[in-house]
Amino acid sequence: MALSSSVKESLKTALAMTITYAIALSLDWEKVYWAGFAVAFVSLSTMGLSFNKAAMRMLGTVLSMVVALVLLALFPQQRWLFFIALSVWMGFCTYMMGGTTYQYVWNICGFVVVIICMSAGPDPVNAFDIAILRAQETGLGILVYSVVALLLWPGTSQDSFYATAAKLVSSLHRLFDASVHGAGKPDEIHQLRTQIVQQQAQFNQLLAASESDSYEVAELGQQWRRCQTCLSQLGSALEHWNESIADTPDLEIDRLLPAYAEFAGEVSQRFSQVEAMLAGRAPSVQPVAVDLSLDTAAVSELSPFSKAALAVVYQEIEHLESLSATLFTRVGDVKGFVVATVSADGSGAQRNGFVPDPDRLIAVVRVVLTLWLAFLAVLFVNDIPGGFGLVSMTAPLAMICAASPQLSVSALQLPVAGGILFGAFAYIFLMPALSSFLGLGLVIFAATFVICYLFAAPKLMLARAFGLAMFLTITGISNEQGYNFLAVANNALMFCIVFLLLAITAYFPLSPRPERVIVRLLERFFSSACTLAGLESADDGTARQRRQRAFHSQQVATVPVKLGAWANVLGSTGSQSDVAQVQALVASLQALSYRLNGLAELRHGNSREVIPQYLIVELEDWYR
């Protein structure tokens, strides 16, 4: 009988969990559930995804061990200075977790340091043993699951990666064709944009996974990374160009750029050849250079505003022509049809140093405030449930809320409560009747399988992880097993306090209600837009001016994306008409964002290289 993928993955996770507990208990390790946590959190649908997450978890654990020991060594008898330093580290990790790279590593680095330090308790002499134990337990869980995943129904990410790459190129091709003459339907173009964003994120994730479980992809990893960069740049360029075409319907590109039809046909053909190469077929034609010279006589008849608009559109056309040729070469190199010449990626833009993100800073404030409330509660409330474990449990949950601000605290309560009840049932009614590991192993296997199978859907991954974590925490399996209903009650009360703290700090420093967040983001967008449009047209300016320009440019570029995420949350609290209005507003702001940043680049960048020579004098007069 053929088994479904959800049954296979549930069986693998259950088997790995059981073997992990058997090994840890035979070695007489304490806190065996730490090893179980590693199995629960790294078990994903393919080996590549699991290995990639396991590597990041292990790296984060090792770094956390070093940081925790350093903090305990620096402040052995100074609890206030120690906790201030710990809070600074947590805030730093929370801020870095909101970036684009190594989010999971920073997540682990943040809360594992808290767990190690709080587990050491008032006796930091044991900190080294606890840190080593945490690393050992995590390594054991990762090792066991990796071996089981390799031997039992191994599934690689290679086929999914190739399919996603083909879908992404096809979507980019369709978006180009839909907007090449401005004839694409707005709904169709919006749907294609959404698909491209989703496929780009999936492509990036599967590339990292495939490099871990596929020798073929790993061998060509550098070439695929170049393709990844080019595809990302093409997606951004098509977004900008589509908005430019839509905003300038009266510009008559066909008349101003005689080779426009040839350009459209050539770029479309390049996309078709790239799709063929990804399917394993050799390209039938090679890219041909297109003469993109403008009709100077027709351009001279335009108004200054139209000439500025033409300068932006022309720059994007040149960029698209160059990127499409680069994509053809790089995909051909990966597939063995074309030998690519290695070139540096990126535009060589000037770095502006650290540019703060207000939303990530708000997340830092909330996490640090939650951590301090938990710490003060432990210090000043006698016999509070959980003791220093309250701080250890608060840290990861606070960082989860910081990483997903749209996720309400109440959404975490149901999976946690379900895991506590399930674990309490096993702890009270099943485990006291067991006399050997054979029975205990069957309980662990069955419980893990049921939780994984019930929450096998990708959108339920968080619920699955919390269910497993709560089951392992409540049962507290060890060699010297004791049974006490108060242990279950204390754990349940501890999580009630944790969620109370999270609910309180969710409204500090600003309200998390979707309608208020949307208004706040709109105010920030228009404030940055006005500032960006009014900056002086100096070439580069001082370092402070460059940082100011970079900050407002970042806000104008990122706020529409954040608004789109909050618009989806608004559907649960507002009417569908409200959601539709916000989504329409997001589309308009995205177009305005492209225009503002495009014009800012022309004003503050190397405009003499971007704008055709015959426009420079007139545009400089216009600026005056």
Side-chain angles (χ1 to χ4, degrees):
M1 182 179 62
L3 299 177
S4 65
S5 59
S6 58
V7 172
K8 292 178 180 178
E9 294 303 320
S10 300
L11 287 173
K12 287 197 293 186
T13 305
L15 181 59
M17 187 73 75
T18 306
I19 295 174
T20 298
Y21 263 82
I23 296 174
L25 291 174
S26 67
L27 295 175
D28 199 22
W29 284 354
E30 299 179 1
K31 302 181 184 295
V32 185
Y33 55 85
W34 282 351
F37 286 171
V39 175
F41 285 100
V42 304
S43 56
L44 297 174
S45 57
T46 66
M47 287 193 304
L49 292 173
S50 298
F51 291 170
N52 190 46
K53 191 171 185 180
M56 290 190 289
R57 188 176 184 89
M58 196 66 218
L59 175 61
T61 301
V62 173
L63 292 176
S64 300
M65 180 178 67
V66 174
V67 173
L69 293 178
V70 169
L71 291 178
L72 289 169
L74 290 176
F75 309 102
Q77 302 296 330
Q78 300 164 308
R79 63 182 180 184
W80 296 114
L81 289 178
F82 164 75
F83 206 77
I84 289 173
L86 182 61
S87 303
V88 170
W89 174 254
M90 273 287 291
F92 174 73
C93 291
T94 302
Y95 188 90
M96 297 301 296
M97 187 179 62
T100 57
T101 55
Y102 303 110
Q103 295 96 331
Y104 191 61
V105 173
W106 289 114
N107 183 15
I108 297 298
C109 285
F111 74 82
V112 172
V113 169
V114 178
I115 290 175
I116 293 174
C117 291
M118 294 300 108
S119 297
D123 186 12
V125 175
N126 298 323
F128 180 78
D129 293 335
I130 292 173
I132 294 298
L133 179 63
R134 178 76 188 198
Q136 287 177 328
E137 303 266 15
T138 302
L140 174 64
I142 290 172
L143 177 62
V144 171
Y145 181 81
S146 300
V147 172
V148 171
L150 282 170
L151 298 178
L152 195 63
W153 299 300
T156 67
S157 308
Q158 178 179 309
D159 293 339
S160 298
F161 170 66
Y162 288 155
T164 301
K167 290 178 182 178
L168 177 57
V169 173
S170 176
S171 297
L172 291 171
H173 188 186
R174 289 162 56 198
L175 179 60
F176 177 81
D177 288 344
S179 56
V180 64
H181 296 298
K185 297 180 181 179
D187 292 342
E188 177 188 3
I189 292 177
H190 177 72
Q191 183 179 5
L192 284 172
R193 285 176 170 175
T194 304
Q195 288 178 0
I196 289 170
V197 172
Q198 295 172 347
Q199 291 165 357
Q200 184 72 61
Q202 189 177 11
F203 177 88
N204 297 341
Q205 184 183 39
L206 288 173
L207 174 55
S210 299
E211 287 179 318
S212 300
D213 64 16
S214 171
Y215 175 77
E216 181 180 339
V217 177
E219 188 178 24
L220 299 172
Q222 188 176 9
Q223 290 93 321
W224 275 116
R225 291 291 173 182
R226 295 196 191 110
C227 291
Q228 178 188 30
T229 301
C230 190
L231 286 169
S232 177
Q233 292 173 345
L234 257 174
S236 178
L238 279 173
E239 287 273 3
H240 285 70
W241 184 65
N242 181 69
E243 293 294 344
S244 299
I245 293 297
D247 289 347
T248 55
D250 301 326
L251 200 54
E252 298 181 273
I253 298 295
D254 292 327
R255 183 174 66 88
L256 299 170
L257 182 62
Y260 181 71
E262 182 184 354
F263 154 78
E266 174 63 21
V267 173
S268 182
Q269 181 174 263
R270 291 174 186 175
F271 276 119
S272 298
Q273 297 304 310
V274 170
E275 291 178 71
M277 287 189 288
L278 288 173
R281 301 190 301 272
S284 57
V285 294
Q286 296 294 320
V288 178
V290 180
D291 183 10
L292 296 177
S293 301
L294 292 169
D295 186 337
T296 55
V299 172
S300 63
E301 299 173 359
L302 298 177
S303 65
F305 181 82
S306 296
K307 289 179 180 178
L310 174 62
V312 175
V313 174
Y314 183 78
Q315 177 191 7
E316 291 165 0
I317 288 175
E318 285 188 318
H319 195 204
L320 273 175
E321 197 278 335
S322 173
L323 285 175
S324 61
T326 302
L327 179 65
F328 180 95
T329 303
R330 290 181 176 171
V331 172
D333 180 36
V334 167
K335 291 297 182 178
F337 298 118
V338 179
V339 179
T341 56
V342 179
S343 59
D345 292 325
S347 58
Q350 185 177 17
R351 296 183 180 274
N352 298 294
F354 172 71
V355 180
D357 186 330
D359 293 306
R360 291 163 68 180
L361 292 175
I362 290 173
V364 170
V365 172
R366 285 177 177 161
V367 168
V368 173
L369 180 59
T370 307
L371 199 66
W372 269 96
L373 288 178
F375 182 66
L376 293 175
V378 171
L379 289 183
F380 296 108
V381 178
N382 293 329
D383 299 325
I384 191 169
F388 283 103
L390 175 67
V391 184
S392 300
M393 288 295 104
T394 300
L397 290 173
M399 293 192 77
I400 288 174
C401 293
S404 303
Q406 296 85 15
L407 182 68
S408 64
V409 176
S410 59
L412 299 176
Q413 295 174 358
L414 184 60
V416 169
I420 291 174
L421 291 175
F422 190 67
F425 174 82
Y427 179 80
I428 295 172
F429 297 103
L430 297 180
M431 292 178 59
L434 304 177
S435 58
S436 66
F437 184 79
L438 177 61
L440 178 62
L442 289 175
V443 170
I444 295 173
F445 184 92
T448 305
F449 177 83
V450 169
I451 294 173
C452 291
Y453 184 76
L454 292 177
F455 302 101
K459 63 180 180 180
L460 299 177
M461 291 297 291
L462 186 62
R464 189 190 79 162
F466 272 112
L468 287 173
M470 292 302 102
F471 169 77
L472 300 178
T473 301
I474 295 299
T475 53
I477 298 171
S478 64
N479 281 323
E480 298 179 1
Q481 186 72 38
Y483 300 99
N484 189 345
F485 176 77
L486 289 179
V488 177
N490 282 335
N491 276 308
L493 288 175
M494 178 185 68
F495 280 101
C496 290
I497 297 173
V498 170
F499 281 112
L500 176 62
L501 296 179
L502 292 174
I504 293 173
T505 56
Y507 286 85
F508 292 96
L510 298 170
S511 171
R513 295 181 62 85
E515 61 273 16
R516 296 188 179 181
V517 174
I518 288 173
V519 171
R520 192 163 62 244
L521 289 173
L522 286 173
E523 292 176 349
R524 191 194 307 165
F525 177 86
F526 286 112
S527 175
S528 292
C530 292
T531 305
L532 188 64
L535 290 174
E536 297 180 0
S537 57
D539 288 338
D540 286 323
T542 63
R544 178 178 176 276
Q545 290 173 331
R546 289 196 299 271
R547 286 194 297 270
Q548 182 185 21
R549 188 156 48 243
F551 171 79
H552 293 295
S553 178
Q554 178 197 66
Q555 294 307 303
V556 168
T558 58
V559 165
V561 179
K562 296 175 182 178
L563 279 171
W566 281 102
N568 298 328
V569 181
L570 188 63
S572 60
T573 59
S575 64
Q576 291 301 317
S577 60
D578 294 335
V579 177
Q581 289 177 356
V582 174
Q583 290 175 341
L585 177 61
V586 169
S588 301
L589 291 180
Q590 189 68 73
L592 180 58
S593 169
Y594 291 146
R595 297 282 68 76
L596 283 169
N597 277 320
L599 291 174
E601 289 176 6
L602 289 175
R603 289 182 61 190
H604 305 292
N606 298 322
S607 58
R608 295 181 181 273
E609 298 177 6
V610 175
I611 304 176
Q613 186 64 33
Y614 48 80
L615 291 179
I616 290 176
V617 176
E618 188 167 356
L619 284 174
E620 286 181 345
D621 293 339
W622 187 35
Y623 286 152
R624 297 192 187 98

